Amino acid sequence: MGIRFYEDKNIFKLDTATSSYVIEIFEQGYLLCQYYGAKIPDVNFKGYKFREYFASFSPSNASVEDHSFSADVSPLEYSGFGVGDFRKTAVAIRNADGNNCTDFRYVSHKIYKGKPALKAMPATYANTDDECETLEIYVRDKVTDAAAVLMYTVFENYGAMTKAVRIINESDKPMDIEKVYSASVSFNTMDFDIVHLYGRHNAERNMARSPLEHGHTSLSSTRGSSSHFHNPFAALVRHGADENQGEVFGFNLVYSGNFDITADVDYYECTRVNIGINPDGFTWHLDAGEEFQTPEAVLVYTNEGLGEMSRIFHRLYLNNLIRGRYKTEKRPLLINSWEAAYFDFDTDKLVSFAKAAKEVGIEMLVMDDGWFGDRNSDRSALGDWFVNEEKFPDGLTPFIDKVHELGLKFGIWFEPEMISPISVLTTVYGTSNEAHN
């Protein structure tokens, strides 16, 4: 079993092939992240509950009998804004009265085999229900009537688990989510390097590594898409760990929009990692009864270095994230027209490529940029998705038929996410209200 609840200790223990993750239901319904790290056989976590007796100016909760507890230093599993925790918190919801304090406490939970789909979000999935196990913890703020489902899925054989959150407005008034992270993870040390990936066109996926420092380390994007400029990934790596050995904690957000990964080190040199949607510029309105689903965060642990962390992510994503026929089927060997011709081609030139490709065993011709509109440079015509009649006076069908007659498959390139300022589309829709209508 990948997930167990020890009722006598009020502890959830989530086990993968390489790691254990432990959550305690503490007094007054506080959820504490007691442990995340190498797989362990028992549930004796007394030493992990509190970092140390809290210092002056860290608020206490008079209703909690254990006076070592303070929301400001305890490893809260999913901490809310404005209720005694002055670190970077995971969630803030403003209700109709203007109150943006969010104090989620445990109400109930359920454990089951398999994994549900996330509404309107890409996510990992189970090929069979026996492949993984899911824990849902229902929490609620009794003042604002905001609620949430914290969802954890353990892919036991991969050394990986996922986290996601569903926010629910259970009040009879509207409320606004001001920030909501998909995962929050606590560590009782700051003895890590932080690794992340950055880049640009033709220089993608450069790795940066630096020691974790006190305060906030934020890796984020507000570009609207993650892209190659900054990847929604980070890893906490033990000092001295390399590709082949050493502890690595990997975090990846299955999301292509604005993201934020924050490592927050407190005055006891303990670390909290939050990963999710970037709160800058983010607000989500919820009417009574409505819900909001966060993207999924994937967590990986290994003590065999960065290389094994990468391989765990790859194995999980190849088998439980990628969909479609090419998940397992070999992709065709292809020739792409771009470097061979750039924008300078017509039917005869591309057919000659296809003939030469066929002779050396290539299986597909892909026609790249330049087949549409007035597209003879990269300065015009994106958005004009009609055939360039100078290059293809008879249209594309006769040309594609010739490629097929040679026994090759045919592919075509287009770029729907961009529009050129110099284009028919821009001219028409930029000047004509009738065209807009």
Side-chain angles (χ1 to χ4, degrees):
M1 294 177 62
I3 301 175
R4 293 186 180 182
F5 177 60
Y6 295 85
E7 192 170 357
D8 59 327
K9 298 178 180 293
N10 273 339
I11 280 178
F12 300 99
K13 187 163 180 280
L14 291 68
D15 288 321
T16 76
T18 61
S19 63
S20 294
Y21 192 101
V22 179
I23 306 166
E24 179 186 9
I25 307 171
F26 185 59
E27 291 183 46
Q28 305 295 320
Y30 285 106
L31 290 175
L32 304 182
C33 176
Q34 287 229 30
Y35 175 82
Y36 181 38
K39 190 171 184 177
I40 50 178
D42 57 37
V43 288
N44 182 18
F45 293 94
K46 185 176 181 180
Y48 289 90
K49 185 179 300 183
F50 304 118
R51 309 316 191 201
E52 194 174 334
Y53 186 80
F54 59 89
S56 299
F57 308 109
S58 285
S60 63
N61 185 331
S63 64
V64 175
E65 293 183 6
D66 192 326
H67 298 297
S68 298
F69 175 85
S70 170
D72 193 31
V73 296
S74 295
L76 297 175
E77 173 64 16
Y78 199 71
S79 181
F81 176 80
V83 288
D85 186 351
F86 297 106
R87 297 164 291 181
K88 292 290 186 181
T89 55
V91 63
I93 302 172
R94 187 180 297 273
N95 69 1
D97 299 326
N99 173 10
N100 68 340
C101 299
T102 306
D103 191 9
F104 283 143
R105 306 287 184 91
Y106 169 86
V107 177
S108 63
H109 73 273
K110 59 182 178 180
I111 300 170
Y112 54 89
K113 288 186 177 294
K115 183 178 188 294
L118 300 188
K119 184 178 180 181
M121 285 288 174
T124 56
Y125 61 89
N127 294 289
T128 67
D129 284 348
D130 291 332
E131 197 172 17
C132 59
E133 200 163 14
T134 296
L135 164 67
E136 292 186 7
I137 301 178
Y138 172 62
V139 294
R140 197 167 186 273
D141 183 326
K142 64 181 181 181
V143 174
T144 65
D145 291 330
V149 175
L150 313 181
M151 192 173 82
Y152 309 76
T153 296
V154 170
F155 288 91
E156 192 170 0
N157 293 332
Y158 291 117
M161 66 180 67
T162 68
K163 287 188 173 188
V165 176
R166 186 169 74 252
I167 303 294
I168 310 163
N169 182 358
E170 293 188 347
S171 74
D172 57 1
K173 299 177 181 178
M175 57 180 60
D176 293 304
I177 304 171
E178 297 186 332
K179 69 173 175 178
V180 56
Y181 286 86
S182 299
S184 185
V185 184
S186 295
F187 300 89
N188 63 352
T189 180
M190 62 174 290
D191 294 332
F192 296 109
D193 295 335
I194 188 164
V195 172
H196 59 102
L197 304 174
Y198 71 95
R200 59 173 174 80
H201 177 56
N202 286 339
E204 296 87 355
R205 300 297 182 267
N206 299 294
M207 188 173 78
R209 178 170 178 169
S210 58
L212 197 61
E213 300 287 350
H214 282 90
H216 314 308
T217 301
S218 180
L219 313 169
S220 64
S221 173
T222 54
R223 301 184 66 87
S225 62
S226 53
S227 75
H228 44 242
F229 292 101
H230 219 126
N231 190 276
F233 159 85
L236 295 187
V237 182
R238 290 290 187 180
H239 304 312
D242 56 29
E243 284 293 316
N244 301 308
Q245 61 81 37
E247 283 195 309
V248 178
F249 298 84
F251 305 90
N252 182 219
L253 191 68
V254 185
Y255 186 64
S256 61
N258 294 348
F259 72 90
D260 182 58
I261 303 173
T262 299
D264 189 9
V265 179
D266 68 14
Y267 54 74
Y268 282 136
E269 300 188 348
C270 299
T271 304
R272 169 185 288 164
V273 174
N274 290 330
I275 176 170
I277 294 172
N278 195 319
D280 289 348
F282 171 85
T283 301
W284 194 273
H285 183 77
L286 288 180
D287 286 325
E290 289 188 332
E291 301 180 352
F292 177 81
Q293 176 65 59
T294 72
E296 180 173 82
V298 181
L299 283 60
V300 164
Y301 168 84
T302 179
N303 61 6
E304 297 181 20
L306 287 160
E308 180 59 15
M309 177 205 67
S310 297
R311 289 187 287 273
I312 292 172
F313 274 119
H314 291 168
R315 288 191 288 266
L316 176 66
Y317 290 172
L318 284 170
N319 291 292
N320 298 89
L321 181 61
I322 294 174
R323 297 178 183 270
R325 58 185 288 194
Y326 291 114
K327 172 181 173 179
T328 55
E329 186 176 322
K330 183 180 177 181
R331 289 171 171 80
L333 182 65
L334 63 85
I335 181 173
N336 185 293
S337 68
W338 180 242
E339 281 78 9
Y342 294 103
F343 300 101
D344 181 19
F345 60 80
D346 56 18
T347 297
D348 292 340
K349 183 178 283 190
L350 293 185
V351 169
S352 72
F353 290 173
K355 289 178 179 177
K358 179 65 176 179
E359 291 176 2
V360 295
I362 291 175
E363 301 164 300
M364 174 183 278
L365 171 74
V366 175
M367 180 176 63
D368 208 291
D369 197 352
W371 59 268
F372 54 90
D374 186 18
R375 183 69 167 174
N376 294 301
S377 77
D378 62 1
R379 300 293 180 182
S380 65
L382 278 178
D384 297 342
W385 302 116
F386 50 86
V387 176
N388 184 310
E389 294 182 356
E390 292 183 6
K391 298 177 182 180
F392 300 96
D394 299 322
L396 290 183
T397 300
F399 157 62
I400 296 171
D401 289 342
K402 289 179 181 180
V403 174
H404 287 159
E405 287 168 7
L406 291 169
L408 269 67
K409 297 178 180 178
F410 176 77
I412 190 169
W413 176 97
F414 72 108
E415 191 169 1
E417 77 278 12
M418 293 183 68
I419 297 172
S420 297
I422 302 173
S423 64
V424 173
L425 178 65
T426 306
T427 301
V428 172
Y429 283 85
T431 60
S432 170
N433 290 329
E434 183 179 349
H436 278 290
N437 295 329

